[in-house]
Every structure is written in C-alpha cells, then in structure tokens.
Amino acid sequence: MNAVIAAVGVMLVLSLSRVHVVIALIIGALVGGLTGGLGIDATLKAFNSGLGGGATVALSYALLGAFAVAIAKSGLAHALADKALAMVDRQHASGGGSVKWLLIGLLWVVAIASQNILPIHIAFIPLLVPPLLYVLTKLQLDRRLIACVMTFGLITPYMFLPVGFGNIFLNEILLANVARSGVDISGINVTHAMGIPALGMVVGLAAAFISYRKKRVYDLEKIEQVEQVAVQYNPLSLMVAGVAIAAAFIIQLLLDSMIIGALAGFLIFSVSGIVKWRDTDDLFTEGMKMMAMIGFIMIAASGFAEVMKATGQVQTLVEASASWIGHSKGIGALLMLLVGLLVTMGIGSSFSTVPILAAIFVPLCVQLGFSPIAIVCIVGTAGALGDAGSPASDSTLGPTSGLNIDGQHHHIWDTVVPTFLHYNLPLLAFGWVAAMVL
C-alpha cells in the first residue's frame, strides 16, 4: 500500500475515534514511514527534523494567546460583548435573531478580510472569538456553524481573489508552477479559472446554515470559569487596547511576523499599566496554556508532513494516479482532485501541495487535452481540496482555538468533520464540473 494513503488513513481513523490528534499524527507518521520502507530510525529522524517547521506557528499561537488574555484584561472585547448581550436581552422575545446574524456576519467579514484586506490570517481568532463566546452561547448558536463560517472566510478568498494571501496562492504559486511545467498562461484570468470551485464553497456554506440551523445548548458556567464575563473597563483601558491591537497588526504586516506583532501588543499592555507588572508572568503563562494544544498539533503535523515527504511516495501516488487515468478526461479530472484532497489532508497546507501536484498533473492534463484555463482550475482546486477538513490545517485549527477555550467544542467532530462535509464535497463536485466545461 502507498505510504501516504496508509498514514493519512490511520491518522483520520484514529482522530475520528476520538484519539487525540497529536497521538494520531505521531502514530500515522510511524505507520507511513514503516510502510514506505524508511525503518523506525529513519522515520523518527524525519519526524524529528520536521518538528521545527511547526515551531514558528506554535510560538505565534502561544504569544497570541497571551495577547488575547491581555485584551480580555483590558475589557475591550468584553465591552463589545456587553453591548451584544444588551441587544440580546432587549430582543429576548424574538430570540435575539438580528444579533445572531450580526455576530455571524461580523465573524464572516473579519475572516474574509484576514486573507486580503488585512492579511493577518488566523491571528484574529484568539483575540475576537473567546470574548464573544458567552454571547454566542447565550444565543444557543451551534458552534459548528461558526466553525464553518470562519473556515469559509479563511479559504475561499485566497483560492478566488488574487489579493493578499490570494496573490501568493494564485499568482506566485499556482500560475507560476503551471507555467514552469510548460503551459502558456498568458491571457488566463485566474479568478475566472477558480470561479466555479469558489461557487462550490458558497453552496457548502449555504448547506451549513441548513445543517446547523437548530439551537444547541452549551454550559454557560464552563465559559465563566475560563473567560471573565464581568470585566471592569474604562476609557483609558479601551484606548490602550485599541492602540495595542493596531500596533500588533501593523507590526505583523510590516515584519510579516505574528510573533513580534503579538509580543509588541503584549508589551504595550504591560508598559501602560493595564496589565500589572507583577501579574505579567502569570497572565502570559495563562495565555500560552490556552493555545498549547493548537501549538502541539501544528508541531506534530510538521513532523508528519516531513515523514510523508521522506518516503518519496507522495510523488509515487501522483504518478500512480496518472497511470490509472488512461485517456478519459472525466476520470482524469476526478482522480487528480481526489489525490489532491488526500495529499493536502496529509500535509495540511494547500500552498505546499500545489508545487507537488503541478509537476505531474500539468503534463498529464496537456496529454488529455485540457485547456490552459482548465489546467489552472484542476491544479488549483486539487491543492485547495483538503484545507478544510484536515485535522492539521490552520483553517480548522484556527476556529477550534477560539471555540474550544471552555472545552465544549471538539476539534475533530465539531470543526474537521463539518468543514470536510460542507466544503470538500461541493468543492470536489464543482471543481470536476469546472474542469470539464472550461
């Protein structure tokens, strides 16, 4: 059996069986390495060498956690939450309907903006979502819907709009790798190429609103234990919080570093006195613990991906799929998309998947007679498939980091499975249709 199929299969089965994702990733990596012929020593060496690849993201999450706790201490997010709660109380008779849609719309817009207008990616989630969780819980909103809304905003913009992270994915990675493989991309509108697959994401989001339309009850006391719901704040603390957040985002954009941005924001709170100097150590530790699980998953996922690469069987899987296709364009498009789904779910990054797929799939697409714009669509969709629904993807880990601070949102069953069903399946169908009609 192909090592990638074995590793990803074991990892997914264990995760769905409620084995912790970190353990599932480690066991999956061992199975993949041994199946790929690396042996136990080479597998562990590859896994250990890959751990460092997730360290930057893990440290970023830890510092964002500390920054988020400092923001909670200032009362800024809670001031917004208090306003929302007041609106809920006023509209109690009608179930707080308008407030519900306002909050969903806010998270949707911010998630989309995080990919292009203000390209901070998942950095907004630990800062914005935890303080709003009490309001969302009081409205009895199903957190699976919120996870789907945020995941939509984290993925669809970069795979459709060539701005911010979309410019990197569509122009610098997708078009560049297709061109490097020998296809003339002059005159290709990449937004047109990815339009139909992006429509599949919209259909998936609409389906999520239907699937999770019913109210879901969560324990308010558990939120109160981890998230202060009655925080004292004043104009000075709110102003300092605004300055700290603005500074963190500006520094991140200038230096391309979430670590330095979050650290700068935290220091502003400390220097201003909003966070007492004697409380700094405890508060910093509390924030890092809040994000520890996500950080360790990121580190383990990097080790898992390195083992997959070390086996050399990612390329073997791609080449094998080429031999299965024959001369059928329909079967070819479907198999290429399925292989992309499998590889991305294993690696956890669509940005890393595209170069691997393009090297084999582009010549194959040319041989099958696909048009240049269809080739761009196939490779782009194959790369994006699996970003939603992968246990190791930051597009699923990000929403979980904000929704699970009280332990009432399971990463696999409440984020991974819902996003897989509502986005990967429509994306697979719409991507195949696009490949056949473009």
Side-chain angles (χ1 to χ4, degrees):
M1 178 182 285
N2 181 276
V4 176
I5 296 176
V8 173
V10 168
M11 182 263 290
L12 292 177
V13 168
L14 289 175
S15 296
L16 292 171
S17 302
R18 295 188 180 272
V19 173
H20 196 281
V21 180
V22 172
I23 297 174
L25 285 165
I26 295 172
I27 295 175
L30 289 172
V31 170
L34 295 175
T35 305
L38 290 181
I40 189 68
D41 291 337
T43 299
L44 292 175
K45 183 178 179 181
F47 186 83
N48 291 335
S49 68
L51 295 179
T56 300
V57 179
L59 183 57
S60 298
Y61 264 106
L63 287 168
L64 281 171
F67 188 36
V69 172
I71 291 174
K73 188 84 172 176
S74 75
L76 175 62
H78 292 83
L80 298 175
D82 287 345
K83 294 286 186 184
L85 278 171
M87 294 173 67
V88 171
D89 291 337
R90 285 197 300 269
Q91 299 183 17
H92 186 69
S94 60
S98 63
V99 180
K100 177 182 79 170
W101 293 110
L102 179 65
L103 292 176
I104 291 174
L106 171 67
L107 293 172
W108 181 71
V109 169
V110 173
I112 290 176
S114 73
Q115 300 303 298
N116 40 47
I117 299 173
L118 189 64
I120 56 173
H121 197 36
I122 53 176
F124 77 93
I125 295 175
L127 310 181
L128 180 62
V129 175
L132 294 177
L133 208 54
Y134 187 83
V135 184
L136 297 173
T137 301
K138 199 162 186 180
L139 288 169
Q140 296 182 346
L141 263 173
D142 195 325
R143 295 185 192 179
R144 292 173 295 180
L145 173 61
I146 303 301
C148 288
V149 168
M150 287 193 287
T151 299
F152 175 91
L154 293 172
I155 295 175
T156 308
Y158 82 67
M159 63 172 281
F160 177 61
L161 300 173
V163 182
F165 289 116
N167 179 60
I168 297 173
F169 180 76
L170 295 172
N171 292 327
E172 298 180 19
I173 296 179
L174 176 56
L175 288 182
N177 278 277
V178 170
R180 197 174 294 124
S181 299
V183 172
D184 181 12
I185 60 170
S186 59
I188 290 182
N189 185 329
V190 71
T191 301
H192 180 209
M194 297 300 293
I196 297 177
L199 182 60
M201 296 290 290
V202 174
V203 170
L205 179 62
F209 276 99
I210 296 172
S211 299
Y212 307 123
R213 66 189 182 278
K214 294 181 179 179
K215 293 183 177 182
R216 194 176 190 189
V217 178
Y218 297 92
D219 189 348
L220 282 170
E221 290 185 1
K222 288 187 177 180
I223 301 177
E224 292 171 352
Q225 291 171 6
V226 296
E227 182 69 18
Q228 294 173 311
V229 295
V231 177
Q232 297 297 321
Y233 50 84
N234 54 55
L236 176 61
S237 69
L238 298 181
M239 183 186 72
V240 171
V243 171
I245 292 172
F249 285 163
I250 291 170
I251 290 172
Q252 181 190 330
L253 292 173
L254 292 176
L255 301 181
D256 193 26
S257 172
M258 278 196 292
I259 294 175
I260 303 300
L263 181 61
F266 187 84
L267 289 176
I268 289 173
F269 279 115
S270 299
V271 172
S272 68
I274 299 300
V275 173
K276 298 292 188 293
W277 192 256
R278 64 177 179 271
D279 298 331
T280 300
D281 187 52
D282 290 340
L283 190 145
F284 199 87
T285 302
E286 180 186 346
M288 293 183 74
K289 286 196 297 185
M290 185 172 74
M291 292 292 138
M293 184 196 80
I294 305 298
F296 282 118
I297 292 175
M298 282 290 189
I299 292 173
S302 293
F304 180 92
E306 189 62 31
V307 173
M308 296 303 96
K309 295 173 185 175
T311 63
Q313 295 205 12
V314 173
Q315 193 81 354
T316 304
L317 176 62
V318 175
E319 292 171 352
S321 68
S323 66
W324 299 332
I325 287 169
H327 299 287
S328 170
K329 291 177 71 173
I331 294 175
L334 181 60
L335 275 178
M336 284 186 276
L337 293 174
L338 287 173
V339 169
L341 170 64
L342 188 65
V343 173
T344 304
M345 289 196 71
I347 295 177
S349 168
S350 54
F351 287 67
S352 301
T353 302
V354 168
I356 298 171
L357 300 179
I360 301 297
F361 284 174
V362 172
L364 179 60
C365 287
V366 172
Q367 183 180 337
L368 290 172
F370 285 103
S371 66
I373 193 171
I375 294 173
V376 170
C377 174
I378 289 171
V379 177
T381 306
L385 267 166
D387 198 359
S390 169
S393 168
D394 51 8
S395 297
T396 57
L397 287 168
T400 298
S401 71
L403 294 169
N404 190 43
I405 61 164
D406 59 355
Q408 297 188 81
H409 184 88
H410 194 270
H411 178 55
I412 298 299
W413 288 105
D414 293 333
T415 297
V416 171
V417 172
T419 55
F420 181 93
L421 294 175
H422 289 90
Y423 294 131
N424 284 333
L425 298 184
L427 189 55
L428 184 65
F430 278 71
W432 183 85
V433 170
M436 302 305 295
V437 300
L438 289 175

